[in-house]
């Protein structure tokens, strides 16, 4: 699940939110129709989950399923269609009321029970055989919903039970951004058009555009300057809450040709197990676009590179101190012969509600 947010350039110190306020803001953001429309309309996302569930029908048929963060209940319905005996659809936001209606409309109320509560507070009458959840946020870990999946796994999943999806991988690559390049160069063109020299605005524009926000944008294949580098892998059967407090890895790649690096691009895949061939949901710029797009991390200044220029570094993803559901990303990197640089990025905390 990924929500829409409004970018904020304010540099003021934010106060730390208490957990109940964080949770209220998070669940309230899923009470509007827009985010659910966006997720259901994301055919890559929804079809891959549907196929991933059906490919595991042998493990689901006649079994008990827990849907963590069920939303409108679409994954619960897929599980029921795959033969589940019972599905507990847990959803804390008010969209749970709509899930009840959808379940009834599809005549599945005898097998799907919608529970309007937070996962951590529920009590189920039995252990479950399968956990299904669409928990992924921007850059995979924004919103911290994976924490609830792990809680459910440790408390409710039978030994040897199935988790869908079962694995997540994180990738990074340097990119060129011609739109940003054009915006930065714009101020040098004003004099030729209007007779007023505004080239001094370039540095100010660079600070505003190439800031410390995690920018969620689609990246085109042509803008990617190297092969992708996987820097982290999460096995949902074994990953711990402690490990999620700092997901880090190293990366190294070589540039394809002469260009300028404006940013790093981060994306993820999740994998559904299958008897023959595992099914992968990818948010890569090399694959069809999803509503997650990619997370773009702008450098302070563009760096010119040539064929085979090495780009190396370390990246770390961890919860924000102000809001533990929000993610921060720190990148330490070296490009070519330049000195090592570091930059920390965060998700702005003002959400954009589209009514």
């Amino acid at each position: 699940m990924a929500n829409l947010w409004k970018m904020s350039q304010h540099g003021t110190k934010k106060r730390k939110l208490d957990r109940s306020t964080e949770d209220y803001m998070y669940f309230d953001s899923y009470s509007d129709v827009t985010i659910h429309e966006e997720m259901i309309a994301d055919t890559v996302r929804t079809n891959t989950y549907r196929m991933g569930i059906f490919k595991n029908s042998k493990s689901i048929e006649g079994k008990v399923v827990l849907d963590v963060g069920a939303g409108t209940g679409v994954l619960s319905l897929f599980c029921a269609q795959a033969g589940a005996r019972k599905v507990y659809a847990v959803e804390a936001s008010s969209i749970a009321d709509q899930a009840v209606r959808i379940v009834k409309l599809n005549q599945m109320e005898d097998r799907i029970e919608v529970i309007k509560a937070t996962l951590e507070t529920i009590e189920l009458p039995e252990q479950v055989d399968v956990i299904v959840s669409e928990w992924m946020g921007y850059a995979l870990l924004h919103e911290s919903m994976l924490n609830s999946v792990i809680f459910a796994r440790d408390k409710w999943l039978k030994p040897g039970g199935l988790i869908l999806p079962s694995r997540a991988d994180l990738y990074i690559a340097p990119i060129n951004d011609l739109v940003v390049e054009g915006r930065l160069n714009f101020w040098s063109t004003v004099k030729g058009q209007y007779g007023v020299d505004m080239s001094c605005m370039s540095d100010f524009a660079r600070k505003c555009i190439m800031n410390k926000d995690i920018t969620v944008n689609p990246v085109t294949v042509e803008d990617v300057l190297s092969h992708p580098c996987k820097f982290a892998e999460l096995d949902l059967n074994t990953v711990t809450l402690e490990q999620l407090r700092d997901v880090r890895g190293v990366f190294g790649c070589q540039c394809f040709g002469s260009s300028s690096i404006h940013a790093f691009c981060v994306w993820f895949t999740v994998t559904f197990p299958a008897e023959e061939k595992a099914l992968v949901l990818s948010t890569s710029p090399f694959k069809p676009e999803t509503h997650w797009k990619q997370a773009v991390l702008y450098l302070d200044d563009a760096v010119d590179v040539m064929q085979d220029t090495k780009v190396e570094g370390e990246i770390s993803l961890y919860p924000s101190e102000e809001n533990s559901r929000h993610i921060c990303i720190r990148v330490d990197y070296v490009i070519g012969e330049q000195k090592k640089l570091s930059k920390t990025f965060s998700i702005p905390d003002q959400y954009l509600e589209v009514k």
Side-chain angles (χ1 to χ4, degrees):
M1 294 184 180
N3 211 334
L4 302 174
W5 43 268
K6 185 196 300 182
M7 299 188 66
S8 170
Q9 307 298 336
H10 303 299
T12 56
K13 179 69 175 177
K14 305 182 187 72
R15 64 182 180 86
K16 179 175 174 58
L17 300 176
D18 61 69
R19 185 68 195 197
S20 61
T21 303
E22 293 174 359
D23 288 348
Y24 173 80
M25 292 171 61
Y26 170 64
F27 292 121
D28 185 61
S29 71
Y30 281 93
S31 298
D32 185 70
V33 70
T34 305
I35 183 59
H36 298 284
E37 178 184 344
E38 183 184 39
M39 291 189 293
I40 298 293
D42 183 343
T43 56
V44 175
R45 165 203 179 266
T46 308
N47 275 329
T48 305
Y49 263 86
R50 185 171 182 265
M51 291 173 60
I53 288 168
F54 288 168
K55 278 180 174 286
N56 285 277
S57 59
K58 288 183 179 179
S59 300
I60 294 173
E61 189 172 1
K63 301 296 179 64
V64 179
V65 178
L66 173 58
D67 183 356
V68 178
T72 56
V74 64
L75 303 187
S76 295
L77 286 159
F78 290 161
C79 290
Q81 291 172 351
R85 172 175 63 83
K86 182 72 175 182
V87 182
Y88 297 103
V90 180
E91 173 57 48
S93 79
S94 62
I95 202 68
D97 299 331
Q98 302 305 316
V100 171
R101 298 180 65 197
I102 293 168
V103 168
K104 186 175 182 179
L105 182 64
N106 285 271
Q107 300 178 340
M108 289 287 189
E109 60 265 44
D110 60 328
R111 285 196 280 160
I112 300 175
E113 179 181 345
V114 178
I115 303 173
K116 188 177 180 180
T118 58
L119 188 283
E120 290 77 7
T121 61
I122 66 167
E123 288 296 329
L124 300 179
E126 58 188 325
Q127 297 292 105
V128 304
D129 304 283
V130 181
I131 291 176
V132 64
S133 181
E134 197 276 77
W135 52 268
M136 301 85 73
Y138 296 130
L140 186 66
L141 298 177
H142 180 57
E143 296 180 336
S144 298
M145 189 176 161
L146 180 54
N147 294 33
S148 294
V149 176
I150 294 172
F151 182 94
R153 178 199 70 193
D154 294 344
K155 184 171 183 178
W156 297 113
L157 187 63
K158 293 178 181 177
L162 178 66
I163 303 177
L164 298 175
S166 61
R167 196 183 83 227
D169 298 302
L170 278 158
Y171 298 83
I172 188 171
I175 63 168
N176 173 263
D177 192 327
L178 293 177
V179 174
V180 164
E181 193 171 283
R183 291 182 65 189
L184 296 177
N185 291 335
F186 166 76
W187 298 102
S188 299
T189 69
V190 174
K191 185 176 181 179
Q193 189 168 7
Y194 301 113
V196 177
D197 190 347
M198 302 186 74
S199 59
C200 61
M201 283 284 290
S202 294
D203 287 341
F204 176 66
R206 182 177 293 102
K207 290 177 182 178
C208 292
I209 297 169
M210 302 179 74
N211 54 42
K212 295 182 178 181
D213 287 342
I214 297 172
T215 304
V216 177
N217 275 332
V219 174
T220 64
V221 173
E222 293 78 15
D223 292 337
V224 181
L225 299 180
S226 77
H227 291 294
C229 184
K230 183 167 78 170
F231 65 86
E233 177 180 320
L234 303 178
D235 182 345
L236 269 65
N237 294 291
T238 59
V239 68
T240 66
L241 293 176
E242 181 64 31
Q243 290 170 331
L244 291 183
R245 292 190 181 101
D246 188 7
V247 175
R248 65 172 57 229
V250 297
F251 61 91
C253 54
Q254 291 181 305
C255 296
F256 290 143
S258 298
S259 187
S260 296
I261 297 177
H262 291 100
F264 288 107
C265 171
V266 173
W267 68 91
F268 65 87
T269 63
V270 294
T271 302
F272 296 81
E275 284 188 358
E276 296 179 0
K277 185 180 179 181
L279 186 66
V280 177
L281 168 55
S282 176
T283 63
S284 165
F286 297 94
K287 298 292 184 179
E289 185 179 326
T290 70
H291 78 286
W292 288 284
K293 304 179 178 66
Q294 288 83 38
V296 179
L297 315 173
Y298 286 102
L299 312 183
D300 286 333
D301 296 287
V303 179
D304 293 334
V305 294
M306 301 174 63
Q307 177 77 35
D308 297 330
T309 297
K310 291 183 178 180
V311 181
E312 299 173 317
E314 182 175 17
I315 180 170
S316 173
L317 287 71
Y318 56 92
S320 164
E321 291 183 1
E322 287 79 27
N323 186 335
S324 63
R325 285 195 176 274
H326 288 197
I327 193 175
C328 292
I329 303 178
R330 177 185 170 93
V331 185
D332 303 309
Y333 62 95
V334 177
I335 300 176
E337 301 301 319
Q338 291 200 346
K339 66 177 182 179
K340 181 178 179 180
L341 296 173
S342 299
K343 191 169 182 179
T344 300
F345 305 84
S346 61
I347 288 275
D349 59 6
Q350 287 185 282
Y351 282 79
L352 175 64
E353 293 186 6
V354 184
K355 300 293 186 184

